[in-house]
């Protein structure tokens, strides 16, 4: 990658400017520490693209400690939790693991998980091998954070499966939410009644997985996004399985 700049010099009282010859500049003329500093202001895909421009930037883009700084800058404490105590850590792989747009339902915090109400169930059709199966419950709470979400427009998608789904309780609903941190975007809240679930089951079929777009929302600054499924149904609900949630970038 090369740039050319034009230098000017003042003559006399500064009113007259003369153009000098262009001065060549490429990454190889930068001190290593300056190039590494520049790299830490990029996101992962941008750093990879920069590394394709020349050997100098390719060498910078391969440095593990540069990726370590990118991980810490974008994901904060979450990076420490994921890295654990294993050594050495491949921070480039860790970056893209944390930046994934999908999270398995089994990675969510789930109230009543492990009893007869909600269970982790093996499923050969699941991308992750296990799913969350809702048998019957009146207090539904499923939530997890997506860390280091970049500014932009997103669609919240859930991969689900129904088996004679029901949501009893005088018009009660189950809410699907995506909530950026305060001041970092707008909240998405989609409310599903029993009729909504039954319409979806008729459309997609019983015991068949489908990926459904719940809605769209905007993120205005780098932040965490909390994804939730909430239901306070006094007369119980059931017949639902969840495979994973996805934050799909739209721009």
């Amino acid at each position: 990658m090369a740039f050319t700049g034009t230098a000017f010099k003042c003559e006399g009282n500064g009113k007259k400017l003369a153009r000098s010859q262009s001065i060549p500049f490429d990454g190889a003329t930068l001190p290593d520490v300056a190039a590494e500093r520049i790299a830490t202001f990029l996101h992962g895909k941008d750093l990879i693209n920069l590394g394709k421009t020349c050997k100098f930037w390719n060498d910078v883009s391969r440095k593990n400690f540069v990726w370590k700084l990118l991980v810490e800058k974008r994901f904060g404490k979450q990076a420490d939790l994921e890295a654990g105590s294993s050594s050495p850590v491949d921070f480039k792989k860790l970056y893209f693991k944390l930046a994934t747009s999908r999270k398995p339902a089994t990675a969510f915090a789930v109230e009543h998980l492990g009893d007869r109400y909600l269970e982790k169930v093996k499923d050969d059709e699941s991308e992750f091998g296990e799913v969350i199966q809702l048998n019957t419950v009146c207090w539904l709470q499923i939530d997890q954070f997506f860390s280091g979400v970049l500014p932009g427009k997103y669609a919240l998608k859930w991969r689900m499966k129904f088996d004679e789904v029901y949501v009893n309780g005088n018009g009660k609903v189950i809410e699907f939410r995506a909530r950026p941190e305060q001041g970092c975007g707008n909240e998405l809240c989609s409310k599903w009644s029993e009729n909504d679930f039954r319409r979806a089951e008729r459309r997609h079929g019983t015991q068949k997985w489908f990926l459904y777009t719940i809605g769209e929302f905007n993120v205005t600054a780098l932040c965490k996004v909390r994804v939730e499924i909430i239901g306070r149904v006094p007369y119980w609900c059931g017949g639902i399985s969840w495979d994973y949630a996805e934050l799909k970038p739209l721009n």
Side-chain angles (χ1 to χ4, degrees), residues 116-173:
R116 64 188 180 90
Y117 303 114
L118 288 116
E119 301 176 286
K120 287 184 181 180
V121 178
K122 294 189 180 299
D123 191 304
D124 293 337
E125 295 181 0
S126 167
E127 182 175 326
F128 300 95
E130 282 189 320
V131 302
I132 296 296
Q133 180 176 290
L134 170 62
N135 299 318
T136 181
V137 74
C138 65
W139 183 284
L140 184 62
Q141 177 74 48
I142 299 174
D143 61 271
Q144 182 57 279
F145 282 107
F146 283 71
S147 298
V149 179
L150 299 175
K153 188 174 183 179
Y154 292 85
L156 171 62
K157 297 174 176 281
W158 271 100
R159 189 169 190 250
M160 302 182 284
K161 180 170 66 176
F162 300 147
D163 184 7
E164 297 184 4
V165 63
Y166 62 95
V167 182
N168 297 325
N170 297 325
K172 293 294 184 180
V173 297

Side-chain angles (χ1 to χ4, degrees), residues 186-241:
N186 66 291
E187 177 180 342
L188 166 67
C189 181
S190 180
K191 299 180 179 181
W192 285 39
S193 67
E194 182 170 25
N195 287 337
D196 295 319
F197 280 101
R198 290 199 177 278
R199 277 195 295 269
E201 185 172 23
R202 287 194 296 270
R203 178 179 179 183
H204 298 284
T206 298
Q207 296 184 338
K208 293 182 179 180
W209 287 108
F210 64 94
L211 186 62
Y212 191 90
T213 299
I214 303 299
E216 300 175 0
F217 65 100
N218 291 301
V219 174
T220 57
L222 179 69
C223 68
K224 293 180 181 179
V225 174
R226 187 183 187 94
V227 173
E228 302 171 288
I229 302 174
I230 302 172
R232 306 290 183 261
V233 184
Y235 300 110
W236 306 83
C237 60
I240 310 171
S241 296

